[in-house]
Amino acid sequence: EDQVTQSPEALRLQEGESSSLNCSYTVSGLRGLFWYRQDPGKGPEFLFTLYSAGEEKEKERLKATLTKKESFLHITAPKPEDSATYLCAVHPTGGGNKLTFGTGTQLKVEL
Amino acid sequence: DAMVIQNPRYQVTQFGKPVTLSCSQTLNHNVMYWYQQKSSQAPKLLFHYYDKDFNNEADTPDNFQSRRPNTSFCFLDIRSPGLGDAAMYLCATSENRQPQHFGDGTRLSIL
Protein backbone atom coordinates (compact mmCIF):
# COMPACT_ATOMS: atom_id res chain seq x y z
CA GLU A 1 0.00 0.00 0.00
CA ASP A 2 1.26 3.47 -0.91
CA GLN A 3 2.14 5.61 2.11
CA VAL A 4 3.27 9.19 2.65
CA THR A 5 4.53 10.43 6.01
CA GLN A 6 5.38 14.05 6.65
CA SER A 7 7.44 15.41 9.51
CA PRO A 8 7.35 17.36 11.65
CA GLU A 9 3.58 17.78 12.06
CA ALA A 10 4.13 21.38 13.12
CA LEU A 11 7.11 23.71 12.95
CA ARG A 12 7.59 27.14 14.42
CA LEU A 13 10.44 29.28 13.05
CA GLN A 14 11.71 32.75 13.63
CA GLU A 15 11.88 34.97 10.56
CA GLY A 16 15.12 34.22 8.76
CA GLU A 17 15.62 30.84 10.46
CA SER A 18 16.08 28.28 7.66
CA SER A 19 14.79 24.73 8.02
CA SER A 20 13.59 21.67 6.12
CA LEU A 21 10.35 19.73 5.95
CA ASN A 22 10.45 16.00 5.29
CA CYS A 23 8.21 13.78 3.19
CA SER A 24 8.94 10.04 3.35
CA TYR A 25 7.13 7.79 0.93
CA THR A 26 6.61 4.14 0.15
CA VAL A 27 5.35 3.27 -3.31
CA SER A 28 5.89 0.38 -5.67
CA GLY A 29 6.93 2.86 -8.34
CA LEU A 30 6.95 6.66 -8.44
CA ARG A 31 5.54 8.59 -11.35
CA GLY A 32 5.90 11.94 -9.58
CA LEU A 33 5.99 13.69 -6.21
CA PHE A 34 4.14 16.94 -5.66
CA TRP A 35 4.44 19.70 -3.08
CA TYR A 36 1.48 21.94 -2.29
CA ARG A 37 0.96 24.89 0.02
CA GLN A 38 -2.39 25.23 1.77
CA ASP A 39 -3.50 28.37 3.58
CA PRO A 40 -6.31 28.17 6.17
CA GLY A 41 -9.73 27.92 4.53
CA LYS A 42 -8.27 27.58 1.03
CA GLY A 43 -7.46 24.82 -1.41
CA PRO A 44 -3.94 23.49 -1.92
CA GLU A 45 -1.76 25.59 -4.20
CA PHE A 46 0.64 23.71 -6.45
CA LEU A 47 4.36 24.39 -5.81
CA PHE A 48 6.56 21.72 -7.40
CA THR A 49 6.65 18.39 -9.19
CA LEU A 50 9.67 16.10 -8.88
CA TYR A 51 10.00 13.04 -11.08
CA SER A 52 13.31 11.34 -10.35
CA ALA A 53 15.90 10.96 -7.60
CA GLY A 54 18.42 13.78 -7.61
CA GLU A 55 16.01 16.29 -9.09
CA GLU A 56 15.71 19.74 -7.48
CA LYS A 57 13.26 22.58 -8.04
CA GLU A 58 13.40 26.12 -6.65
CA LYS A 59 10.93 28.94 -6.25
CA GLU A 60 11.81 32.04 -4.26
CA ARG A 61 12.74 30.86 -0.73
CA LEU A 62 11.69 27.26 -1.36
CA LYS A 63 13.72 24.39 -2.75
CA ALA A 64 12.43 20.85 -3.16
CA THR A 65 14.69 17.82 -3.49
CA LEU A 66 14.00 14.14 -4.11
CA THR A 67 15.67 10.86 -3.23
CA LYS A 68 14.39 7.33 -3.74
CA LYS A 69 12.72 7.31 -0.33
CA GLU A 70 12.01 10.91 0.62
CA SER A 71 11.68 14.49 -0.42
CA PHE A 72 12.69 17.63 1.41
CA LEU A 73 11.26 21.09 1.19
CA HIS A 74 13.98 23.50 2.23
CA ILE A 75 12.90 26.95 3.35
CA THR A 76 15.66 29.57 3.30
CA ALA A 77 15.29 32.73 5.39
CA PRO A 78 11.53 32.32 5.79
CA LYS A 79 9.15 35.23 6.18
CA PRO A 80 5.81 35.35 8.05
CA GLU A 81 3.98 35.08 4.71
CA ASP A 82 5.48 31.59 4.29
CA SER A 83 3.28 30.42 7.17
CA ALA A 84 0.96 27.70 5.83
CA THR A 85 0.48 23.94 5.76
CA TYR A 86 2.75 22.22 3.26
CA LEU A 87 1.38 19.02 1.75
CA CYS A 88 3.32 16.32 -0.05
CA ALA A 89 1.63 13.90 -2.44
CA VAL A 90 2.88 10.98 -4.52
CA HIS A 91 1.59 9.77 -7.84
CA PRO A 92 2.40 6.06 -8.02
CA THR A 93 2.90 4.19 -11.26
CA GLY A 94 -0.17 2.09 -12.03
CA GLY A 95 -2.28 4.36 -9.85
CA GLY A 96 -4.14 6.01 -12.69
CA ASN A 97 -4.77 9.62 -11.75
CA LYS A 98 -4.88 9.08 -8.00
CA LEU A 99 -2.54 10.94 -5.63
CA THR A 100 -1.71 9.80 -2.11
CA PHE A 101 -1.34 12.77 0.23
CA GLY A 102 0.50 13.16 3.50
CA THR A 103 -1.17 14.96 6.39
CA GLY A 104 1.08 17.99 6.00
CA THR A 105 3.45 20.11 8.03
CA GLN A 106 1.93 23.20 9.60
CA LEU A 107 4.57 25.93 9.42
CA LYS A 108 4.40 29.15 11.41
CA VAL A 109 7.03 31.85 10.88
CA GLU A 110 7.17 34.52 13.55
CA LEU A 111 8.75 37.96 13.56
CA ASP B 1 -8.36 34.96 -12.77
CA ALA B 2 -9.61 31.99 -10.76
CA MET B 3 -9.27 28.76 -12.74
CA VAL B 4 -11.15 26.27 -10.53
CA ILE B 5 -14.19 27.84 -8.97
CA GLN B 6 -16.24 26.26 -6.24
CA ASN B 7 -19.65 27.41 -5.10
CA PRO B 8 -20.74 28.12 -2.53
CA ARG B 9 -17.70 28.75 -0.30
CA TYR B 10 -19.76 27.92 2.77
CA GLN B 11 -22.79 25.65 2.87
CA VAL B 12 -24.98 24.85 5.85
CA THR B 13 -27.53 22.08 5.59
CA GLN B 14 -29.68 20.07 7.92
CA PHE B 15 -29.06 16.49 8.90
CA GLY B 16 -30.50 14.29 6.14
CA LYS B 17 -31.29 17.14 3.75
CA PRO B 18 -29.75 16.66 0.28
CA VAL B 19 -27.11 19.14 -0.74
CA THR B 20 -25.24 19.85 -3.99
CA LEU B 21 -21.82 21.43 -4.30
CA SER B 22 -20.59 22.76 -7.61
CA CYS B 23 -17.27 23.17 -9.34
CA SER B 24 -16.40 24.84 -12.60
CA GLN B 25 -13.09 25.22 -14.43
CA THR B 26 -11.69 27.49 -17.10
CA LEU B 27 -8.64 25.31 -17.75
CA ASN B 28 -10.36 22.85 -20.09
CA HIS B 29 -8.71 19.97 -18.23
CA ASN B 30 -10.00 16.49 -18.96
CA VAL B 31 -9.86 15.18 -15.39
CA MET B 32 -11.90 16.51 -12.47
CA TYR B 33 -11.65 15.28 -8.89
CA TRP B 34 -13.61 15.61 -5.66
CA TYR B 35 -11.81 15.38 -2.33
CA GLN B 36 -13.01 15.49 1.25
CA GLN B 37 -10.69 17.13 3.78
CA LYS B 38 -11.29 17.18 7.51
CA SER B 39 -9.35 19.34 9.94
CA SER B 40 -5.61 18.54 10.05
CA GLN B 41 -6.09 15.56 7.74
CA ALA B 42 -4.92 14.78 4.24
CA PRO B 43 -7.36 15.33 1.39
CA LYS B 44 -9.23 12.10 0.73
CA LEU B 45 -10.20 11.33 -2.86
CA LEU B 46 -13.90 10.53 -3.24
CA PHE B 47 -14.07 10.06 -7.02
CA HIS B 48 -12.87 11.50 -10.28
CA TYR B 49 -13.92 11.85 -13.89
CA TYR B 50 -11.55 11.12 -16.73
CA ASP B 51 -13.46 12.91 -19.46
CA LYS B 52 -16.90 11.31 -19.03
CA ASP B 53 -15.64 8.15 -17.36
CA PHE B 54 -16.57 8.07 -13.69
CA ASN B 55 -14.11 6.49 -11.24
CA ASN B 56 -15.37 5.88 -7.73
CA GLU B 57 -13.02 5.13 -4.82
CA ALA B 58 -13.82 1.83 -3.13
CA ASP B 59 -14.38 3.42 0.28
CA THR B 60 -16.54 6.33 -0.87
CA PRO B 61 -19.97 5.99 0.79
CA ASP B 62 -22.99 5.46 -1.47
CA ASN B 63 -24.38 8.66 0.03
CA PHE B 64 -21.98 10.59 -2.23
CA GLN B 65 -22.75 10.93 -5.93
CA SER B 66 -21.31 13.04 -8.71
CA ARG B 67 -22.32 14.43 -12.08
CA ARG B 68 -20.24 15.93 -14.87
CA PRO B 69 -22.60 17.32 -17.50
CA ASN B 70 -19.79 18.85 -19.57
CA THR B 71 -16.03 19.50 -19.50
CA SER B 72 -16.35 22.65 -17.43
CA PHE B 73 -18.70 21.62 -14.64
CA CYS B 74 -18.80 18.93 -12.00
CA PHE B 75 -21.21 18.48 -9.10
CA LEU B 76 -21.03 16.64 -5.80
CA ASP B 77 -24.37 15.45 -4.43
CA ILE B 78 -24.71 14.28 -0.85
CA ARG B 79 -28.06 12.52 -0.64
CA SER B 80 -28.54 12.35 3.12
CA PRO B 81 -25.79 14.24 4.95
CA GLY B 82 -24.79 13.00 8.36
CA LEU B 83 -22.81 14.82 11.03
CA GLY B 84 -19.69 12.96 9.93
CA ASP B 85 -19.91 14.54 6.48
CA ALA B 86 -19.08 17.99 7.82
CA ALA B 87 -15.80 18.85 6.10
CA MET B 88 -14.10 20.92 3.43
CA TYR B 89 -14.87 19.60 -0.04
CA LEU B 90 -12.20 20.31 -2.62
CA CYS B 91 -12.51 20.13 -6.38
CA ALA B 92 -9.39 19.73 -8.50
CA THR B 93 -8.60 19.41 -12.18
CA SER B 94 -5.69 18.10 -14.20
CA GLU B 95 -4.77 17.40 -17.78
CA ASN B 96 -4.12 13.66 -17.81
CA ARG B 97 -1.46 13.02 -15.15
CA GLN B 98 -0.16 16.56 -14.83
CA PRO B 99 -0.30 18.38 -11.45
CA GLN B 100 -3.75 18.86 -10.02
CA HIS B 101 -5.07 22.39 -9.59
CA PHE B 102 -7.46 22.94 -6.70
CA GLY B 103 -10.32 25.28 -6.03
CA ASP B 104 -10.69 27.00 -2.69
CA GLY B 105 -13.20 24.47 -1.46
CA THR B 106 -16.68 24.48 0.02
CA ARG B 107 -16.91 24.28 3.80
CA LEU B 108 -19.94 22.12 4.60
CA SER B 109 -21.62 22.32 8.00
CA ILE B 110 -24.40 19.99 9.15
CA LEU B 111 -26.98 21.15 11.68
Side-chain angles (χ1 to χ4, degrees):
Chain A
E1 184 182 340
D2 303 322
Q3 285 194 335
V4 178
T5 303
Q6 292 189 246
S7 62
E9 288 185 10
L11 180 63
R12 181 173 285 186
L13 299 174
Q14 295 295 311
E15 184 175 14
E17 180 187 2
S18 302
S19 188
S20 297
L21 313 183
N22 178 264
C23 170
S24 297
Y25 62 90
T26 305
V27 292
S28 53
L30 183 70
R31 190 182 296 277
L33 183 142
F34 302 91
W35 281 99
Y36 287 87
R37 168 191 171 128
Q38 187 171 25
D39 291 297
K42 298 221 167 179
E45 175 190 348
F46 170 71
L47 294 173
F48 303 110
T49 308
L50 301 165
Y51 293 105
S52 56
E55 190 174 0
E56 298 183 352
K57 293 272 179 75
E58 279 189 75
K59 179 180 178 182
E60 295 180 355
R61 294 177 291 282
L62 301 177
K63 183 168 81 172
T65 61
L66 181 66
T67 73
K68 289 187 178 179
K69 294 183 178 180
E70 58 191 350
S71 176
F72 291 94
L73 185 65
H74 306 279
I75 303 177
T76 302
K79 298 182 178 182
E81 53 261 44
D82 295 322
S83 298
T85 296
Y86 291 86
L87 294 167
C88 170
V90 296
H91 186 188
T93 54
N97 294 293
K98 184 177 178 179
L99 299 183
T100 299
F101 279 87
T103 53
T105 293
Q106 191 173 0
L107 173 67
K108 185 168 177 61
V109 182
E110 298 172 331
L111 291 170
Chain B
D1 205 22
M3 296 176 288
V4 182
I5 304 159
Q6 292 188 242
N7 285 304
R9 291 295 316 279
Y10 302 92
Q11 176 73 58
V12 181
T13 191
Q14 292 180 334
F15 182 94
K17 186 174 180 181
V19 65
T20 295
L21 310 182
S22 74
C23 176
S24 64
Q25 58 145 333
T26 60
L27 298 163
N28 206 36
H29 285 169
N30 59 347
V31 191
M32 293 187 79
Y33 310 78
W34 279 105
Y35 289 86
Q36 180 192 66
Q37 187 179 28
K38 296 186 176 180
S39 182
S40 300
Q41 293 185 19
K44 178 181 180 295
L45 184 64
L46 297 173
F47 25 60
H48 73 278
Y49 277 92
Y50 191 106
D51 293 320
K52 294 183 179 181
D53 293 333
F54 178 69
N55 298 272
N56 196 32
E57 292 301 301
D59 57 354
T60 298
D62 292 340
N63 200 24
F64 291 83
Q65 305 285 322
S66 185
R67 297 169 283 136
R68 189 180 185 186
N70 54 52
T71 301
S72 300
F73 286 88
C74 196
F75 300 96
L76 170 61
D77 300 308
I78 308 177
R79 292 191 296 186
S80 182
L83 296 178
D85 297 328
M88 174 78 90
Y89 289 88
L90 297 165
C91 174
T93 72
S94 72
E95 185 64 26
N96 295 321
R97 298 189 174 96
Q98 295 304 306
Q100 295 180 18
H101 295 269
F102 286 81
D104 278 339
T106 294
R107 170 76 62 188
L108 179 66
S109 299
I110 314 293
L111 298 179

